[in-house]
Structure formats: structure tokens, C-alpha cells
Amino acid sequence: MKKKYIWIGVIVILALIGLWQYLSSKKESQKIGFKMTKIETGRITNYVTATGTIEPVVKVEVGTQVSGIVKKLYVDYNSVVKKGQVIAELDKTNLQSEYQSQQSNLAKAQSDYNYQKSNHDRMKTLHDKGLIADNEYEAAVQSFQSAKSSLSVASQNLQKAKTNLSYATITSPIDGVVLSKSVEEGQTVAASFSTPTLFYIANNLTQMRVIASVDEADIGNVADGQRVEFTVDAYVGETFNGTVTQVRQNATTTNNVVTYEVVVDAPNPDLKLKPGLTANITIYTKESGEVLTVQPKALKFNPMQYDGVQGYSIDHASKELAATRPAKGQGILWTLESKVFKAKMVNVGMSSKIATEVSGSIREGEPVVLEMSANAMPQMSSDEGGNSPFMPKRPGSGNRSGAPSGRR
């Protein structure tokens, strides 16, 4: 019985030794590696996106200030018009009668004025000679002043009737193109409470603009003069260019979302852009020239936890450099040679989500550590890494530092 327990103990010990050897070999096989990236030359771009509506720069509503029946229309949709050109006429019968009536009233008022003036002058002469009483002279003065006022009123009424008669002939206020018309011949328009709109006329369709709504979180980055690219669903795959011309201060709140209007000029020499189209715009808030760039993640890598692990080490100077806190506008990149990490202090400039500008003790094409990659040999994250069997190409890679990046 005692011998049986001895054998059981031996078997347990052997099992534990086997398990320990298995785990040790398993752990040994899990070698760590580090993903590398290269310093590249490119452009860094930050941008914000928004949607907007394409509109003419100048769009005028043409209406009428008098009521009447539309007698004649001289233009239709898409008609090209010149400033002062007659585009419609209302029936003038009643307006002409009113004008003639006011002419008669003016003539009567003029005749009465002439009589009262002569009477006034005569009574003044007699009064100056003491031949008439004061009250007679004062009555003549009052009648003269009344006739003078009546003449002024009759003159103004005639001018008003003349103006109303002229309103029956509707002309284009600008050079442009008729976008829409809201009446037909024979239709009655009433201007009792508000001016009815007859036409919309756009000034110049070769120069359009986009009125875009930019979210409050992004509006602080938008300024006049920034470059804009936009697309419209009418032309799939085609990109149009513009420039920010105005950032309006008035906020609009819709469903608790605050936006601001941004005006973008949009040259339209081919007349492809039509009023009312929805534009998906990209405003480039910051753009760099050709600079050295690196993936932002590389500036966050710290190899201190890997010092002495599986043969990896950090040289003494790099440890001292890493122990000092980088100043504002600086960062540390790490190179890896023969399992030895070396730190390089660099100046950090403009940054986007996929690229950060760096300068200093670094050169184009130089490999730097991006991140730790478990169960993997050191590999490059850039396409150029495919030149080495230990640094295969990253499938699907296509974003470079020059690609647009920023807030969406």
C-alpha cells in the first residue's frame, strides 16, 4: 500500500515537471516583436465637412406693388433678361382712369390757385392803402393758402397715380436669368397686404455660392479664404472647388444642434451647378507644404517596459533622454537596431489623425518603432516595408500623410 502511494507521488511529480516544461516552451515561443514605420515626406491636411445648398450670388424677387390682371408675360423659365427689360404687364384700364382723374383734379386745383392768388394780391394792395378792413384781407389770405395746399395735394395725387400706372409695366431690376415665374396671363394679383412674387431672377449663374451649415464644434477652425472642395450628387465622381468668403455670426439651432452658416464662392463657368443642389463640402482648415511626417502613434511609444525582456535593451543615453520630459512642441521617436532601442528627440509641428510633422535629428526613410506586436517579427507599417522579408506590406494600406485628415 505504501509502495502504491510512492508511485502516485512520482507520477504527479513527473506530470508537474512535464506541465512546467510545456508552459516554459510555450512562453518561449511567444516572442515579442515591434511594428515599424518610416519617416515620410508628405503634406498634412486638417479639414471639416458639412453640407450646404448651392445658390446664385444675387437672386432677386420681382413682384408688383399694384393689383390687377396679368395682361402679358414676355419671359418664361430660363429666359435671359437685361436690366430695365419689360418682362410683364398688368391691365392698365383702371390705373389709366385714375391717372386721368388726377390730371383733372390738378387742373381744377391749379385754376383755383391762380384765382385765389390774384384775389390775394389785389386784396393786399387795397389793404396796404387802407381801403379794406383787416378781416377781409385775412379771409383772402386764408383762401389763398387753402388753394395752395389743394394744389400741392392734387400734384402729389397725380404723381402717385402716374407711379402706380408705371408699376403696371414690370421690368427686370438686374441682368440675369429667370429661375421661376409664379403667374400666368389672365391671373389676378392682389397687392393689398404684401407684394406678390411674380419672378425669381438670378444675376449670374457662372458665379454661384454654397451656403453651408457647419457644426459649432468645428466653426472655430473655419476662416475666410480657406480652400474648399465639394461634390454634388448630380455629378458623381466630380469635385468642384471654392473658397470660404464669409463666416456668419448668427447661430441656428435645430433639434438642439447649433450650426453656423458659412458662405463658399463656387465658380460655375460650365453652368453645371444649378440652384438648389445639395453640396457635400470639405473645408481645409490647415494645410502644410512638403514636410517630414510620422504616424502619431510612434510619438506615444515608450520601450521602458521592454528593457531586458527577451534580449531587448535601451542604451544609457536614451534612458536619460527619455527620463526628461519633452518641452512643448517636442517628442521622442525610437529606433531599433539589433534589439537595442535608441531615442531621438524631434520637433513636433502640425498634426492630423494619420500624420504628424516632425523635424530635427531625423531623416526621410528612417525606420522608427510604431508599437509592440506580439507573436510577430519586427515589421514595417509603411508600404516600403515590403522590401524586407521581415517587414511585409500592410494589406489595404493607402493612406499617406498627404491624405486629408481632420474632424468630421
Side-chain angles (χ1 to χ4, degrees), residues 298-314:
L299 290 163
K300 299 178 181 180
F301 176 75
N302 189 337
M304 291 301 181
Q305 58 183 312
Y306 308 114
D307 188 20
V309 178
Q310 295 186 11
Y312 289 95
S313 62
I314 304 172

Side-chain angles (χ1 to χ4, degrees), residues 241-309:
N241 298 306
T243 306
V244 175
T245 57
Q246 186 181 51
V247 180
R248 294 177 176 172
Q249 301 297 325
N250 185 48
T252 301
T253 303
T254 305
N255 297 327
N256 294 325
V257 176
V258 180
T259 58
Y260 291 82
E261 286 188 343
V262 174
V263 182
V264 177
D265 79 318
N268 188 32
D270 299 330
L271 300 180
K272 288 185 175 181
L273 300 175
K274 302 183 185 303
L277 287 178
T278 298
N280 301 302
I281 73 168
T282 300
I283 304 173
Y284 292 94
T285 56
K286 287 184 179 181
E287 294 183 279
S288 73
E290 291 290 331
V291 295
L292 293 179
T293 65
V294 71
Q295 294 185 44
K297 189 183 293 186
L299 290 163
K300 299 178 181 180
F301 176 75
N302 189 337
M304 291 301 181
Q305 58 183 312
Y306 308 114
D307 188 20
V309 178

Side-chain angles (χ1 to χ4, degrees), residues 177-360:
V177 177
V178 177
L179 297 182
S180 68
K181 66 183 181 73
S182 305
V183 294
E184 299 293 341
E185 291 182 2
Q187 184 175 337
T188 300
V189 291
S192 302
F193 302 103
S194 61
T195 301
T197 300
L198 306 183
F199 304 95
Y200 278 103
I201 299 178
N203 177 246
N204 181 11
L205 295 183
T206 63
Q207 185 61 46
M208 306 290 278
R209 67 179 181 179
V210 180
I211 307 298
S213 297
V214 177
D215 189 84
E216 61 176 325
D218 297 326
I219 196 65
N221 298 318
V222 180
D224 293 358
Q226 291 174 341
R227 183 172 69 90
V228 176
E229 291 182 350
F230 64 94
T231 60
V232 294
D233 292 340
Y235 302 99
V236 178
E238 187 167 356
T239 301
F240 300 88
N241 298 306
T243 306
V244 175
T245 57
Q246 186 181 51
V247 180
R248 294 177 176 172
Q249 301 297 325
N250 185 48
T252 301
T253 303
T254 305
N255 297 327
N256 294 325
V257 176
V258 180
T259 58
Y260 291 82
E261 286 188 343
V262 174
V263 182
V264 177
D265 79 318
N268 188 32
D270 299 330
L271 300 180
K272 288 185 175 181
L273 300 175
K274 302 183 185 303
L277 287 178
T278 298
N280 301 302
I281 73 168
T282 300
I283 304 173
Y284 292 94
T285 56
K286 287 184 179 181
E287 294 183 279
S288 73
E290 291 290 331
V291 295
L292 293 179
T293 65
V294 71
Q295 294 185 44
K297 189 183 293 186
L299 290 163
K300 299 178 181 180
F301 176 75
N302 189 337
M304 291 301 181
Q305 58 183 312
Y306 308 114
D307 188 20
V309 178
Q310 295 186 11
Y312 289 95
S313 62
I314 304 172
D315 69 3
H316 180 70
S318 296
K319 286 183 180 180
E320 292 183 348
L321 182 61
T324 62
R325 186 174 181 179
K328 185 177 180 180
Q330 290 186 322
I332 295 176
L333 292 175
W334 294 87
T335 61
L336 181 59
E337 300 176 10
S338 302
K339 289 193 172 184
V340 177
F341 292 103
K342 293 184 179 180
K344 289 195 173 186
M345 184 72 73
V346 294
N347 299 316
V348 179
M350 181 177 168
S351 183
S352 69
K353 287 185 178 180
I354 62 173
T356 297
E357 178 186 355
V358 292
S359 60

Side-chain angles (χ1 to χ4, degrees), residues 56-223:
V57 175
V58 177
K59 184 175 71 173
V60 179
E61 297 182 23
V62 180
T64 174
Q65 292 185 320
V66 293
S67 302
I69 298 173
V70 179
K71 183 178 181 180
K72 185 68 176 178
L73 294 177
Y74 296 100
V75 296
D76 202 346
Y77 291 92
N78 299 334
S79 296
V80 178
V81 295
K82 296 291 184 181
K83 182 177 181 179
Q85 177 182 334
V86 177
I87 57 178
E89 285 186 358
L90 302 182
D91 183 75
K92 300 180 181 179
T93 303
N94 293 336
L95 296 172
Q96 188 71 42
S97 297
E98 178 66 19
Y99 177 68
Q100 292 174 350
S101 175
Q102 293 302 331
Q103 280 184 315
S104 298
N105 291 339
L106 178 61
K108 181 180 178 181
Q110 183 67 54
S111 176
D112 185 53
Y113 171 80
N114 292 339
Y115 169 75
Q116 294 298 338
K117 185 176 186 305
S118 298
N119 184 59
H120 169 269
D121 293 343
R122 183 171 61 255
M123 298 298 281
K124 184 176 186 305
T125 301
L126 294 175
H127 181 265
D128 291 343
K129 292 180 179 181
L131 299 177
I132 60 173
D134 290 344
N135 61 338
E136 291 183 87
Y137 173 67
E138 289 172 358
V141 171
Q142 182 179 7
S143 297
F144 173 65
Q145 293 296 335
S146 178
K148 186 177 181 180
S149 297
S150 297
L151 177 61
S152 177
V153 170
S155 178
Q156 292 174 10
N157 287 339
L158 178 63
Q159 183 61 42
K160 181 180 179 181
K162 182 179 180 180
T163 301
N164 287 339
L165 181 60
S166 68
Y167 285 156
T169 301
I170 300 167
T171 60
S172 174
I174 59 172
D175 295 343
V177 177
V178 177
L179 297 182
S180 68
K181 66 183 181 73
S182 305
V183 294
E184 299 293 341
E185 291 182 2
Q187 184 175 337
T188 300
V189 291
S192 302
F193 302 103
S194 61
T195 301
T197 300
L198 306 183
F199 304 95
Y200 278 103
I201 299 178
N203 177 246
N204 181 11
L205 295 183
T206 63
Q207 185 61 46
M208 306 290 278
R209 67 179 181 179
V210 180
I211 307 298
S213 297
V214 177
D215 189 84
E216 61 176 325
D218 297 326
I219 196 65
N221 298 318
V222 180

